């Protein structure tokens, strides 16, 4: 029984190495999926195979080191900021974004895609905020103009009721 367990650990360690270091993305993806399933079935953890995975969120670290996508949530200040972030992140075909609320997103992306989107977002945010402020001022001007026209029409209609 002990020899069988040792052989299983060696095989799982080889799968771990394949998941982390294969030059082929498809092979890393298959090895990652297989390893996680086999670990769960054997009631083992990544830390049992490699002590560098003895951390609170070992699966996240493993997926990151293997270059696999991982899930994360982003909360932004506004719907418009969320639209910008979503658009930047979705430039990659392997990314998925789901809206939780008007300003909260649930995302699945590789670490590289997330870092690229984060960097671009920080770069574009000041410009977006300036444009939003200008759009808000324009909307208020248009609102005031439209409000005045509608109020004038209401007064004119009331005055027409009393014309001889």
């Amino acid at each position: 029984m002990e020899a069988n367990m040792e052989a299983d650990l060696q095989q799982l360690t080889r799968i771990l190495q394949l998941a982390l270091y294969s030059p082929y993305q498809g092979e890393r993806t298959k090895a990652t999926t297989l390893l996680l399933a086999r670990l769960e079935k054997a009631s083992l953890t990544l830390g049992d195979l490699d002590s560098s995975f003895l951390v609170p969120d070992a699966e996240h670290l493993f997926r990151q080191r293997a270059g696999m996508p991982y899930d994360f949530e982003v909360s932004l200040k506004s719907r418009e900021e969320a639209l910008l972030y979503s658009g930047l992140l979705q430039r990659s075909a392997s990314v998925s974004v789901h809206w939780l609320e008007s300003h909260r997103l649930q995302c699945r992306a590789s670490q590289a895609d997330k870092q690229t989107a984060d960097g671009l977002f920080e770069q574009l945010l000041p410009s977006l905020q300036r444009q939003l402020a200008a759009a808000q001022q324009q909307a208020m001007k248009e609102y005031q103009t439209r409000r005045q026209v509608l109020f004038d029409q209401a007064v004119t209609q009331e005055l027409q009721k009393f014309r001889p």
Side-chain angles (χ1 to χ4, degrees):
M1 183 80 169
E2 183 74 27
N4 192 24
M5 181 65 156
E6 186 63 33
D8 286 347
L9 284 175
Q10 286 177 351
Q11 185 179 39
L12 290 172
T13 301
R14 284 193 303 272
I15 297 171
L16 173 65
Q17 296 303 311
L18 189 61
L20 293 175
Y21 303 112
S22 173
Y24 306 106
Q25 177 70 30
E27 195 169 56
R28 284 196 319 268
T29 301
K30 288 178 185 176
T32 298
T33 303
L34 176 64
L35 179 63
L36 293 174
R38 297 262 317 264
L39 286 172
E40 185 176 337
K41 183 178 178 184
S43 298
L44 296 171
T45 67
L46 288 161
D48 295 329
L49 302 178
D50 183 334
S51 62
S52 69
F53 290 110
L54 290 172
V55 295
D57 193 0
E59 185 176 336
H60 173 73
L61 176 62
F62 170 58
R63 288 181 177 280
Q64 183 178 359
R65 285 180 48 191
M68 298 289 106
Y70 65 97
D71 294 323
F72 59 97
E73 188 175 308
V74 179
S75 292
L76 298 150
K77 293 180 183 175
S78 68
R79 176 185 166 276
E80 292 76 18
E81 286 185 11
L83 278 169
L84 176 64
Y85 190 84
S86 173
L88 292 171
L89 197 57
Q90 288 180 329
R91 293 173 7 156
S92 174
S94 62
V95 170
S96 69
V97 176
H98 300 282
W99 291 81
L100 301 176
E101 292 180 52
S102 66
H103 65 286
R104 285 184 45 224
L105 306 171
Q106 179 69 40
C107 309
R108 172 171 274 187
S110 69
Q111 183 68 18
D113 288 335
K114 182 182 184 315
Q115 287 175 339
T116 299
D118 287 348
L120 287 171
F121 180 77
E122 290 303 318
Q123 191 176 14
L124 296 173
L125 186 58
S127 174
L128 174 66
Q129 289 172 337
R130 284 190 302 275
Q131 288 187 46
L132 290 174
Q136 185 174 16
Q137 287 178 346
Q138 180 64 32
M140 288 303 293
K141 286 178 187 176
E142 291 174 9
Y143 166 77
Q144 291 297 341
T145 302
R146 181 69 180 142
R147 180 179 178 272
Q148 187 63 48
V149 168
L150 292 173
F151 281 28
D152 289 349
Q153 286 175 354
V155 170
T156 302
Q157 287 174 359
E158 287 303 313
L159 287 173
Q160 287 179 353
K161 290 180 182 177
F162 293 103
R163 286 216 167 143

